[in-house]
Amino acid sequence: MQVNRIARAKQFLPFDALKGLQEALREKEIEYEAKKDLSEDTLQELNTKFNQIENGKYVKIKYYKNGRYSEIKGIVTNIDYIKKKIQINKIENISIYDIIDISI
């Protein structure tokens, strides 16, 4: 008799009629930051640090992406001077225009 009650109770579990609505609402709750303009001195300092980076070097980069500031640590796997992007850990491609700090 106990098994029948459990099986019967399963049919009354919550049902999400609007699949994906809860995820969409959570995304709307995220607070976005405006991208900050960097001073001329900061840009010059970033340029100096960027020129010291080579493939295979360990770096920590703070950058702006999707309305928020993020940080990544890892090995530089590619530097594309034409597209002005740097690749970290063969995963994250970061535009040099979005970088706000580099630690080597």
Side-chain angles (χ1 to χ4, degrees):
M1 191 77 165
Q2 184 68 17
V3 176
N4 289 338
R5 284 185 183 176
I6 293 172
R8 181 165 162 72
K10 284 184 182 178
Q11 73 182 7
F12 296 107
L13 290 175
F15 175 69
D16 188 8
L18 300 173
K19 198 168 199 148
L21 177 64
Q22 293 301 320
E23 291 83 21
L25 290 174
R26 275 189 228 109
E27 285 181 19
K28 292 289 183 185
E29 293 174 0
I30 298 171
E31 292 185 29
Y32 295 99
E33 299 178 61
K35 189 173 178 181
K36 300 172 188 171
D37 291 328
L38 302 177
S39 69
E40 197 64 38
D41 292 335
T42 305
L43 289 173
Q44 186 63 34
E45 184 181 327
L46 281 174
N47 188 42
T48 302
K49 289 180 180 179
F50 188 77
N51 288 328
Q52 295 173 359
I53 296 175
E54 299 173 349
N55 285 343
K57 202 165 201 177
Y58 182 84
V59 294
K60 179 171 79 170
I61 296 178
K62 292 180 185 176
Y63 63 101
Y64 186 79
K65 182 177 181 180
N66 298 331
R68 289 192 268 172
Y69 285 97
S70 300
E71 184 177 290
I72 188 167
K73 300 174 190 176
I75 305 295
V76 176
T77 51
N78 188 27
I79 301 172
D80 189 338
Y81 293 101
I82 295 170
K83 294 181 181 177
K84 300 186 187 318
K85 292 188 179 249
I86 185 170
Q87 186 180 57
I88 308 295
N89 297 332
K90 294 185 180 180
I91 299 170
E92 191 71 35
N93 288 309
I94 304 167
S95 169
I96 63 168
Y97 300 113
D98 293 333
I99 297 173
I100 62 164
D101 189 33
I102 301 173
S103 300
I104 301 173

